[in-house]
Amino acid sequence: MAAFLLATSVLGGSLIVSTRSEAADPTPRRYTAEQFLQTRNYAIAGVGDDAFTADGKSLLVSSDESGTFNAYLLPLSGGKPVPLTRSTTNATYAVTTFPEDARVLVSSDTGGNELTHLFVRAPDGTLTDLTPGAKTKADFAGWNHDRTTFFVSSNAREASADDVYAYDVATLTPRMVFRNDGSFQVGPVAPDGRTLAVTKTLSSANADVYVADLTAMSAAPRLVTPHQGNVQFAASDFTPDSGKLIYLGDQDGEWMRAYTFDLASGARAELVRGDWDVQFAFFSPSGRYRVSALNADATTRLTITDTQTGMPIVLTGVPAGDLGAVRFGPDERQIAFTVTSDTSPRDVFVADLATGRARRLTTALNPAIREADLVDATVVRVPAEGGVQVPGILYRPKGASAGAKVPAIVYVHGGPGGQSRRGYSASIQHLVNHGYAVLAANNRGSSGYGKSVFHMDDKHHGEADLRDIVASGEWLRKQDWIAPDKVAVMGGSYGGYMTAAALTFHPDAFTAGIDIFGVTNWQRTLKSIPAWWGANRIALYDEMGDPATDEARHRAISPLFHAERITKPLLVIQGANDPRVLKVESDELVAAVKKNDVPVEYVVFPDEGHGFQGRTNRVTAQNAYLAFLDNYVRR
């Protein structure tokens, strides 16, 4: 289950356990936004074994070490990352290595407009755009097993439909292998390069998986998941022999499970199940290892299973935290992966699969910050209307007590249908470090808690889900260590909408609000969905309502049309190039609230979109959050 609109991630990864004692050091050092945001972000490229370079000496990663995301080679022997791209404007992300030479594939858009292009980076540093076009959006779709061909999805032919092209690794010549009629979302390609998995969205609760024969482009895709009623299916991967498709579905209860579909016989079998949603399941290129993960109460519970023994791999030398981004070395003797926790950002590790011994390749946390000064989160449940228990990720500042009450923030995730998860957030840790409690609420309609919860707010947004946010604020006020008259609301994307809606429809519930590129006029936002969203629009309209038929309800829940009710201070942050929530949304709300003689502050980044990529901009935004809260909440 996933959100289709405004699905920005508020928090980072997630945490399983922590071994630090906060009681030992109740008075932390204070750090600036600049210090927190000097922490580096790392992401491993690739999807299987294509993150390792052909010479076996380095790992391809993305990092914002320079202040802007670029592609780097991370030496496996240790040492500093070697930059491959040096953009100072547009974020550039590492995608995949090439099998027999030093070329790599990278991805970049322009100013956050989300129209990503794929570029080949030659050994001399030259970048060649493989997917040109002012309105083209292209994404990497995988390699065939011998890595002579890679696949790319692109809307170059038709803005609302992603076709698939095969590129010869030697000539880089594209050849269309799947022509999309506009109803499918592109999924994985089988290792033999002959089969493509695609998904057809029928509603926000209903989707089917198909397979398409890439050797017979005129043939219609074959339905894999015939069913009745509302069932959500999604393609995950193919088995290494290309004989089976791995897909996810919630057909057998509240939770997503992983299944296999035999392409030859049509036989289906359950592969992975748990008491939470299965997030993904895939095999190493040889098939010896299976990697799967559960979304366990806002953490990722990942397992690597040796299929020869049926036993999980036990890694040593790994700090407490959440594992992710598992990539296999070409000979499967080692893996690369990341680890993150509430107090430690995502770091890159490698491990020997025979011994399980791991080595750390990066230290992402700014060395000027003591990890002991940061705060572990706890998972809480907030009682709300109808007997619903709203999960929340609670960060309690060190030293907060009944005798030293602190101000607080209800933090609302993006979506609709996103999830606040445990893990490192420089933004949240900075606010907590400066004495603000943060409760990241997962209101009804959030993902990760079963399909019934996920669909509770369908076509009822801004109603009970918003009252869950109000209830979260009320719960905070009841804690004897919270200053009850100093509770703000804050969120990005859909969370920005919820922030503005809380100040509009519950004007006495919060002391102030911070709206980060939030929707203010649902009619306009839904009508302006970019063409490249294609068939995803079906699920979004099913969940939020069709602007052609639901205008009255959209106007009723849109803060812009009721802005005269806003009486509490408001900070609005916006990217000028945002393709999802247009800048005019924030412009008009700010103008309307100013007429109320209410304090309004407005920060616009001319070079950002839906989410801020540049470190300088993120520092500016973070400083604005803290200054606003100090001025209007802490007082």
Side-chain angles (χ1 to χ4, degrees):
M1 292 178 282
F4 291 101
L5 175 67
L6 325 178
T8 55
S9 176
V10 175
L11 305 185
S14 52
L15 178 71
I16 296 174
V17 292
S18 174
T19 58
R20 297 187 306 107
S21 171
E22 296 183 24
D25 190 8
T27 307
R29 299 176 187 176
R30 295 282 186 254
Y31 302 102
T32 65
E34 289 83 355
Q35 287 174 307
F36 270 103
L37 289 163
Q38 279 297 322
T39 290
R40 296 166 182 173
N41 289 287
Y42 291 102
I44 304 176
V47 293
D49 61 350
D50 56 328
F52 291 81
T53 53
D55 62 10
K57 295 181 179 180
S58 301
L59 193 67
L60 182 63
V61 301
S62 303
S63 174
D64 64 349
E65 180 174 334
S66 68
T68 302
F69 278 96
N70 277 286
Y72 292 81
L73 290 180
L74 186 62
L76 295 176
S77 59
K80 291 185 176 181
V82 179
L84 298 179
T85 62
R86 298 180 182 272
S87 176
T88 59
T89 53
N90 299 317
T92 303
Y93 295 97
V95 175
T96 182
T97 62
F98 275 61
E100 295 181 354
D101 57 59
R103 291 178 296 171
V104 300
L105 203 62
V106 299
S107 174
S108 182
D109 68 1
T110 301
N113 67 0
E114 300 185 19
L115 294 174
T116 51
H117 288 204
L118 293 172
F119 300 81
V120 170
R121 193 265 188 194
D124 65 1
T126 303
L127 292 175
T128 302
D129 190 349
L130 295 183
T131 55
K135 297 184 179 180
T136 297
K137 178 176 173 60
D139 293 290
F140 181 68
W143 288 93
N144 67 347
H145 60 81
D146 58 8
R147 299 187 70 189
T148 57
T149 302
F150 63 89
F151 300 89
V152 172
S153 65
S154 170
N155 70 343
R157 177 186 61 84
E158 166 56 48
S160 61
D162 284 333
D163 301 320
V164 176
Y165 297 82
Y167 281 72
D168 179 83
V169 70
T171 66
L172 299 180
T173 302
R175 172 175 55 89
M176 184 186 288
V177 292
F178 176 71
R179 184 183 176 96
N180 195 342
D181 65 7
S183 65
F184 295 105
Q185 294 92 50
V186 172
V189 178
D192 63 8
R194 298 175 60 89
T195 309
L196 168 73
V198 294
T199 302
K200 177 177 284 189
T201 298
L202 306 174
S203 74
S204 65
N206 199 2
D208 270 319
V209 172
Y210 293 72
V211 288
D213 186 346
L214 299 185
T215 67
M217 196 167 64
S218 61
R222 172 188 176 192
L223 179 62
V224 171
T225 55
H227 67 279
Q228 295 182 342
N230 287 332
V231 182
Q232 193 76 35
F233 290 105
S236 184
D237 203 357
F238 286 88
T239 53
D241 63 3
S242 300
K244 296 178 181 178
L245 171 69
I246 303 169
Y247 65 97
L248 309 179
D250 59 11
Q251 64 187 16
D252 293 316
E254 282 292 311
W255 309 109
M256 298 290 278
R257 301 179 185 179
Y259 304 87
T260 59
F261 173 79
D262 189 293
L263 299 180
S265 69
R268 295 173 176 80
E270 187 176 272
L271 181 65
V272 181
R273 66 182 297 181
D275 51 0
W276 297 93
D277 282 333
V278 175
Q279 291 178 273
F280 54 81
F282 64 91
F283 287 89
S284 64
S286 74
R288 176 170 177 176
Y289 301 98
R290 188 186 74 212
V291 183
S292 61
L294 299 179
N295 180 0
D297 208 9
T299 71
T300 297
R301 188 188 299 161
L302 185 142
T303 304
I304 305 172
T305 303
D306 186 336
T307 61
Q308 291 185 358
T309 65
M311 299 298 293
I313 298 296
V314 177
L315 300 176
T316 60
V318 179
D322 218 28
L323 273 66
V326 175
R327 306 288 186 262
F328 289 86
D331 56 7
E332 294 190 11
R333 293 181 181 178
Q334 65 179 338
I335 56 171
F337 57 95
T338 60
V339 180
T340 186
S341 75
D342 291 344
T343 59
S344 179
R346 186 183 300 114
D347 273 310
V348 180
F349 291 74
V350 291
D352 183 288
L353 281 172
T355 65
R357 287 196 294 269
R359 291 185 294 112
R360 185 176 196 148
L361 297 183
T362 66
T363 302
L365 186 66
N366 182 354
I369 296 176
R370 293 191 312 168
E371 188 175 348
D373 290 327
L374 306 184
V375 172
D376 283 319
T378 56
V379 176
V380 300
R381 293 292 193 276
V382 173
E385 66 180 64
V388 171
Q389 296 288 312
V390 177
I393 314 301
L394 179 64
Y395 297 79
R396 178 173 177 165
K398 292 177 183 290
S401 68
K405 297 179 186 293
V406 297
I409 304 162
V410 176
Y411 211 121
V412 193
H413 62 66
Q419 183 187 28
S420 287
R421 296 172 55 78
R422 295 193 63 171
Y424 185 79
S425 166
S427 178
I428 287 179
Q429 289 287 354
H430 174 242
L431 296 175
V432 176
N433 181 250
H434 283 260
Y436 289 89
V438 175
L439 175 59
N442 284 307
N443 53 274
R444 69 192 72 199
S446 300
S447 58
Y449 303 99
K451 62 184 179 183
S452 296
V453 171
F454 181 74
H455 293 290
M456 273 185 175
D457 65 347
D458 287 0
K459 293 185 179 176
H460 291 285
H461 297 82
E463 299 174 19
D465 59 347
L466 180 58
R467 293 191 290 273
D468 288 345
I469 300 305
V470 173
S472 297
E474 293 171 349
W475 182 88
L476 280 171
R477 291 186 191 91
K478 293 176 182 177
Q479 309 310 304
D480 64 6
W481 50 277
I482 296 291
D485 60 337
K486 298 178 181 180
V487 179
V489 61
M490 174 181 183
S493 193
Y494 185 77
Y497 157 70
M498 293 283 268
T499 294
L503 296 189
T504 302
F505 302 113
H506 300 271
D508 297 322
F510 295 100
T511 308
I514 300 177
D515 164 11
I516 308 166
F517 44 78
V519 176
T520 67
N521 177 351
W522 277 108
Q523 273 294 106
R524 177 168 50 214
T525 292
L526 291 169
K527 286 181 177 179
S528 65
I529 295 301
W532 45 262
W533 276 59
N536 284 331
R537 192 188 317 249
I538 295 171
L540 180 60
Y541 281 13
D542 182 65
E543 181 174 356
M544 291 299 310
D546 189 327
T549 57
D550 291 303
E551 180 175 1
R553 190 176 65 83
H554 290 155
R555 290 182 68 90
I557 67 171
S558 295
L560 179 63
F561 302 114
H562 312 277
E564 71 280 359
R565 302 182 187 179
I566 296 178
T567 61
K568 300 296 175 62
L570 174 66
L571 169 63
V572 178
I573 311 286
Q574 178 71 45
N577 303 321
D578 194 332
R580 304 187 183 205
V581 179
L582 304 180
K583 177 176 173 288
V584 66
E585 295 273 313
S586 294
D587 291 344
E588 291 183 353
L589 182 67
V590 167
V593 177
K594 282 182 177 179
K595 293 179 181 179
N596 300 344
D597 197 26
V598 170
V600 183
E601 298 180 10
Y602 191 24
V603 178
V604 178
F605 296 114
D607 54 349
E608 296 283 11
H610 198 73
F612 308 140
Q613 302 297 320
R615 178 180 292 140
T616 299
N617 291 337
R618 284 180 278 139
V619 169
T620 298
Q622 195 65 36
N623 280 325
Y625 304 153
L626 183 59
F628 176 83
L629 292 166
D630 283 350
N631 194 22
Y632 295 108
V633 179
R634 191 193 302 275
R635 292 182 259 132

